[in-house]
């Protein structure tokens, strides 16, 4: 790519010399390069989706819609839980995986109508699921602590740093490529996080101290790092142990990881006596027991719907489209949090949001498949 850009600059220089046009500058070269990149992306998307049946577009629309609606809704409900009187971080982290039977139910049609069979478990695969499940339980707990102290819009922006750690751990553990566009995305998202950190004074809730806000910031970044590690380990699990990436195998992996995470979190709830405190918490919750139950139930449902939607987008389309939707999801969550939860939104946070979106776009471009690779990327 660097050689191509150098060639474009040389051609522009020769053209200026021959025609005597001294007004042409690097802006012209940059605009032509951007148009060239956009044209390449359009051609690649046309080749990927040409000739797809109508049912494909229906499923892709439903999957994309679930991803764009369910994930932001899950984030808002997490913050609503604390705003209305919820206090237990263990309960919120438990809810994130309590909906795993929904994904298990989604597996049944693949077994019945697609002539597939459950993947045979062995000791090595079971231990791998257990390890990733434990990490997932810890990840959910870290995010639960983050949402206790941060506005939903801020927590969503900070969670985008998982992209940095996904690239890092993917490179170290799986051998995924890192190019200039991905490095640029890492720099952009890091800059966005720095802006949020410097603007913390305008981002505090009245009942949250500066120390708690700082801890929420740290918890969110640690959760994002762990999320990036889980993503890389999941990809490594497919490469080393499963050796295949079909739709039902990914669902199986998610069900098993969520089951182990659910088990570990349930043990934490029992040991910490959080189950015993649910009744009192529900009575003191704004809106009463009914409102409390609805927040927890819909938190579980929306999180699982988001996961199913993301899985559908990955296999019906590509990781690039999933990345595009994930990039769109961040501003959607922030805007919804400002409108529905009255989250503070300063000029610095808007700037951070724009830079984060730019970083996502750079990452998506850097992760695009090469021209020689016509297969759909599974993970």
């Amino acid at each position: 790519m660097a050689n191509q850009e150098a060639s474009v600059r040389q051609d522009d220089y020769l053209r200026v010399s021959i025609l005597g046009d001294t007004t042409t500058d690097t802006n012209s070269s940059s605009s032509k390069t951007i148009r060239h990149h956009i044209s390449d992306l359009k051609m690649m998307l046309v080749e990927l989706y040409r000739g797809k049946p109508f049912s494909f577009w229906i499923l892709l629309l439903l999957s994309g819609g679930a991803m764009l609606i369910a994930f932001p809704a899950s984030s808002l409900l997490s913050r609503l839980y604390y705003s209305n009187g919820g206090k237990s971080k263990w309960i919120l982290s438990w809810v994130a995986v309590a909906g795993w039977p929904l994904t298990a139910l989604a597996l049944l049609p693949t077994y019945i109508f697609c002539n597939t069979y459950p993947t045979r478990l062995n000791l090595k695969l079971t231990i791998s699921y257990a390890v990733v499940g434990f990490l997932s339980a810890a990840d959910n707990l870290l995010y639960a602590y983050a949402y206790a102290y941060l506005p939903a819009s801020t927590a969503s922006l900070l969670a985008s740093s998982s992209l940095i750690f996904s690239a890092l751990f993917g490179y170290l553990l799986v051998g995924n490529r890192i190019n200039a566009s991905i490095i640029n995305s890492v720099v952009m998202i890091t800059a966005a996080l720095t802006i949020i950190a410097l603007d913390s004074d305008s981002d505090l809730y009245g009942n949250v101290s500066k120390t708690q806000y700082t801890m929420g910031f740290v918890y969110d970044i640690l959760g994002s790092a762990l999320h990036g590690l889980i993503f890389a380990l999941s990809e490594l699990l497919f490469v080393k142990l499963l050796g295949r990436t079909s739709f039902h195998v990914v669902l199986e992996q998610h069900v098993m990881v969520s089951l182990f995470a659910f088990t570990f979190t349930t043990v934490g709830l029992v040991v910490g006596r959080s189950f015993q405190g649910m009744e009192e918490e529900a009575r003191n919750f704004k809106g009463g027991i009914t409102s409390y139950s609805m927040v927890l139930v819909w938190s579980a449902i929306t999180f699982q719907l988001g996961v199913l939607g993301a899985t559908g987008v990955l296999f019906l389309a590509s990781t690039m489209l999933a990345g595009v939707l994930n990039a769109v999801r961040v501003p959607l969550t922030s805007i919804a949090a400002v409108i529905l939860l009255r989250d503070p939104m300063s000029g610095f946070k808007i700037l951070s949001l724009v830079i984060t979106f730019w970083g996502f776009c750079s990452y998506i471009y850097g992760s695009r498949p090469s021209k020689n690779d016509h297969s759909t990327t599974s993970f």
Side-chain angles (χ1 to χ4, degrees):
M1 181 60 66
N3 292 334
Q4 292 177 355
E5 291 176 350
S7 177
V8 170
R9 287 194 295 267
Q10 290 173 357
D11 290 342
D12 286 344
Y13 177 77
L14 290 175
R15 192 178 297 109
V16 169
S17 299
I18 294 173
L19 298 179
D21 185 2
T22 58
T23 62
T24 303
D25 54 16
T26 54
N27 289 335
S28 175
S29 175
S30 299
S31 64
K32 290 178 182 178
T33 303
I34 293 172
R35 287 199 299 270
H36 176 71
H37 293 337
I38 294 174
S39 177
D40 284 347
L41 286 174
K42 286 181 179 179
M43 291 178 61
M44 182 177 62
L45 290 172
V46 169
E47 290 181 5
L48 281 174
Y49 307 131
R50 181 183 296 163
K52 297 293 184 182
F54 183 72
S55 59
F56 166 87
W57 295 107
I58 295 296
L59 290 174
L60 184 60
L61 180 64
L62 291 175
S63 298
M67 190 175 174
L68 290 178
I69 295 173
F71 275 142
S74 178
S75 298
L76 296 181
L77 287 168
S78 296
R79 183 57 233 174
L80 186 66
Y81 167 78
Y82 291 115
S83 298
N84 287 2
K87 296 178 180 178
S88 175
K89 285 77 176 177
W90 278 102
I91 289 176
L92 193 61
S93 61
W94 178 77
V95 165
V97 287
W100 68 267
L102 293 176
T103 309
L105 288 175
L107 268 172
L108 293 179
T110 66
Y111 294 144
I112 297 172
F113 300 109
C114 302
N115 295 322
T116 58
Y117 299 93
T119 302
R120 181 177 298 178
L121 287 174
N122 54 44
L123 181 60
K124 196 172 184 179
L125 187 59
T126 303
I127 292 175
S128 299
Y129 284 150
V131 170
V132 179
F134 176 78
L135 294 176
S136 181
D139 185 43
N140 293 332
L141 187 60
L142 286 170
Y143 278 132
Y145 271 94
Y147 274 94
Y149 305 131
L150 299 176
S153 56
T154 303
S156 176
L157 278 169
L158 293 178
S160 65
S161 64
S162 62
L163 200 68
I164 298 174
F165 299 104
S166 294
L168 176 62
F169 288 120
Y171 174 76
L172 294 175
L173 299 178
V174 190
N176 292 339
R177 63 176 182 166
I178 290 184
N179 53 33
S181 294
I182 292 178
I183 293 175
N184 180 68
S185 72
V186 170
V187 173
M188 291 298 100
I189 293 175
T190 303
L193 300 182
T194 304
I195 292 173
I196 295 177
L198 295 175
D199 190 44
S200 59
D201 290 338
S202 65
D203 206 30
L204 290 172
Y205 283 128
N207 60 341
V208 176
S209 67
K210 187 67 177 290
T211 301
Q212 288 176 324
Y213 180 91
T214 303
M215 292 306 299
F217 197 99
V218 173
Y219 287 135
D220 210 331
I221 297 298
L222 289 176
S224 299
L226 197 52
H227 189 77
L229 176 61
I230 291 169
F231 193 91
L233 289 176
S234 298
E235 187 173 358
L236 188 65
L237 190 151
F238 278 96
V239 172
K240 297 294 185 181
L241 297 181
L242 295 173
R244 57 196 178 117
T245 52
S246 61
F247 186 77
H248 83 278
V249 172
V250 173
L251 287 182
E252 287 174 344
Q253 187 258 6
H254 175 68
V255 169
M256 293 303 298
V257 168
S258 295
L259 176 59
F260 278 109
F262 176 78
T263 303
F264 289 126
T265 310
T266 302
V267 171
L269 278 172
V270 173
V271 173
R273 298 183 178 275
S274 296
F275 273 131
Q276 291 87 330
M278 287 183 72
E279 185 177 352
E280 181 182 355
E281 191 173 75
R283 286 198 303 267
N284 297 327
F285 197 78
K286 184 179 179 180
I289 296 177
T290 301
S291 178
Y292 181 79
S293 301
M294 292 296 289
V295 168
L296 295 186
V297 169
W298 280 107
S299 293
I301 292 174
T302 52
F303 186 82
Q304 294 300 318
L305 286 178
V307 170
L308 286 173
T311 305
V313 171
L314 282 170
F315 279 87
L316 291 169
S318 66
T319 52
M320 188 182 71
L321 182 58
V324 171
L325 295 179
N326 200 42
V328 174
R329 177 175 67 87
V330 173
L332 281 181
T333 304
S334 298
I335 294 171
V338 171
I339 295 174
L340 300 176
L341 302 180
R342 299 294 187 266
D343 266 17
M345 179 62 75
S346 65
F348 283 107
K349 188 183 286 189
I350 294 174
L351 177 61
S352 176
L353 185 63
V354 172
I355 294 175
T356 299
F357 189 80
W358 178 11
F360 266 111
C361 293
S362 182
Y363 185 89
I364 292 164
Y365 182 78
S367 301
R368 74 195 189 285
S370 62
K371 294 181 179 180
N372 295 327
D373 182 14
H374 298 289
S375 61
T376 300
T377 306
S378 299
F379 249 95

